[in-house]
């Protein structure tokens, strides 16, 4: 009974995702050692060109970045602050 509930729950979850979120989820599945077997079993026409162009290990890199929520927007400011902390005001 639990497997049936999980299956239905996952269907509802995926149905609520945006197309961008679905592509990201598929990339996550493709990067997982165990789950990637499902993606590999699909016909070749089902894999989009965008997914094939993502370098291996990219998701591992993205997941390893810890920082403030606005890191992407203010990365230059954060770098300058760290340079000032390390090297003083001359940086």
């Amino acid at each position: 009974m639990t497997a049936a509930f999980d299956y239905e729950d996952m269907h509802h979850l995926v149905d609520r995702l945006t197309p961008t979120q679905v592509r990201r989820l598929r990339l996550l599945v493709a990067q997982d050692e165990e789950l990637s077997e499902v993606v590999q079993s699909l016909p070749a026409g089902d894999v989009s060109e965008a997914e094939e162009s993502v370098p291996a290990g990219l998701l591992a890199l993205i997941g390893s970045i810890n920082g403030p929520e606005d890191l992407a927007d203010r990365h230059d400011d954060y770098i300058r602050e760290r340079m000032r902390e390390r090297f003083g005001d001359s940086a």
Side-chain angles (χ1 to χ4, degrees):
M1 191 68 166
T2 302
F5 175 76
D6 290 343
Y7 184 77
E8 288 298 318
D9 190 44
M10 286 301 296
H11 265 289
H12 292 296
L13 177 90
V14 173
D15 287 343
R16 298 182 69 189
L17 297 175
T18 66
T20 302
Q21 290 171 325
V22 170
R23 285 190 294 275
R24 182 171 181 212
L25 178 61
R26 185 170 176 153
L27 284 172
L28 290 169
V29 169
Q31 293 285 324
D32 184 271
E33 185 177 321
E34 182 180 343
L35 298 175
S36 65
E37 296 171 6
V38 175
V39 176
Q40 293 170 358
S41 69
L42 295 174
D46 286 353
V47 179
S48 74
E49 293 178 19
E51 291 169 355
E52 292 175 352
S53 67
V54 174
L58 177 64
L59 294 176
L61 171 67
I62 292 170
S64 68
I65 298 173
N66 292 322
E69 293 178 10
D70 63 347
L71 182 61
D73 297 330
R74 297 193 52 228
H75 69 280
D76 289 337
D77 298 330
Y78 289 118
I79 291 171
R80 278 190 213 96
E81 287 174 24
R82 289 190 70 188
M83 294 294 283
R84 285 190 185 105
E85 289 171 6
R86 283 190 186 167
F87 305 110
D89 289 332
S90 61

